Amino acid sequence: MQVRAIDEDGLRQVEQWLAVDPAGGAIFGGFYGHAVERWAPLLQAPSRHGWITFDEAGPIGFVDLEILDEEAEVTYYVSTDRRGQGLGRATVEQVVQLSTELGAEQIHASVDPANEAALATLRSTAFVEQGANEFDEIEFVLQRASG
């Protein structure tokens, strides 16, 4: 798996993925469904990072990462046509690597309880389930070993 920094074409790709994905659109569409308008300005901050993930077969999805005070908050998405191939786990592994390279000691991810695939993916990794947060999402945390 590889990543490239998200650009305007990538932001439009995110919008297109969510426009044809009823489940993903319901979860992510309010913000990422308007990525050009809403996400692009946030990517100007040095603490915010966005990538398109891809492999030899083409685009897989996207990653949104914000790191403040060595704590990372991550959102990731796998497009509908690439699901069921183990790419969610590969994406999470990539997120952990990128977060660590950018100085994160702790990585947080929140998952809608209806997103069974994402829940299963995070539960199969080193992330630790923390329970529901104030938005009724399931919170996960990965504590990196201090070096």
Side-chain angles (χ1 to χ4, degrees), residues 24-38:
I27 294 169
F28 295 117
F31 179 76
Y32 297 105
H34 305 279
V36 172
E37 175 188 345
R38 295 185 178 167

Side-chain angles (χ1 to χ4, degrees), residues 83-102:
R83 292 182 188 154
Q85 303 172 32
L87 295 170
R89 185 173 177 98
T91 299
V92 169
E93 291 169 0
Q94 184 73 46
V95 163
V96 170
Q97 178 183 336
L98 293 166
S99 299
T100 302
E101 289 172 2
L102 291 167

Side-chain angles (χ1 to χ4, degrees), residues 20-132:
V20 297
D21 178 0
I27 294 169
F28 295 117
F31 179 76
Y32 297 105
H34 305 279
V36 172
E37 175 188 345
R38 295 185 178 167
W39 191 14
L42 298 177
L43 291 170
Q44 302 304 309
S47 61
R48 194 76 178 252
H49 310 275
W51 295 280
I52 293 290
T53 57
F54 63 97
D55 62 11
E56 61 282 347
I60 296 167
F62 70 85
V63 172
D64 182 8
L65 177 68
E66 183 172 31
I67 300 177
L68 298 169
D69 299 326
E70 298 179 345
E71 287 193 37
E73 182 69 38
V74 64
T75 300
Y76 72 95
Y77 174 85
V78 175
S79 67
T80 56
D81 61 331
R82 301 302 306 273
R83 292 182 188 154
Q85 303 172 32
L87 295 170
R89 185 173 177 98
T91 299
V92 169
E93 291 169 0
Q94 184 73 46
V95 163
V96 170
Q97 178 183 336
L98 293 166
S99 299
T100 302
E101 289 172 2
L102 291 167
E105 295 293 326
Q106 196 173 75
I107 306 166
H108 299 264
S110 301
V111 179
D112 185 289
N115 191 341
E116 293 178 22
L119 290 170
T121 298
L122 289 173
R123 286 174 176 151
S124 73
T125 67
F127 277 83
V128 176
E129 192 168 337
Q130 303 292 303

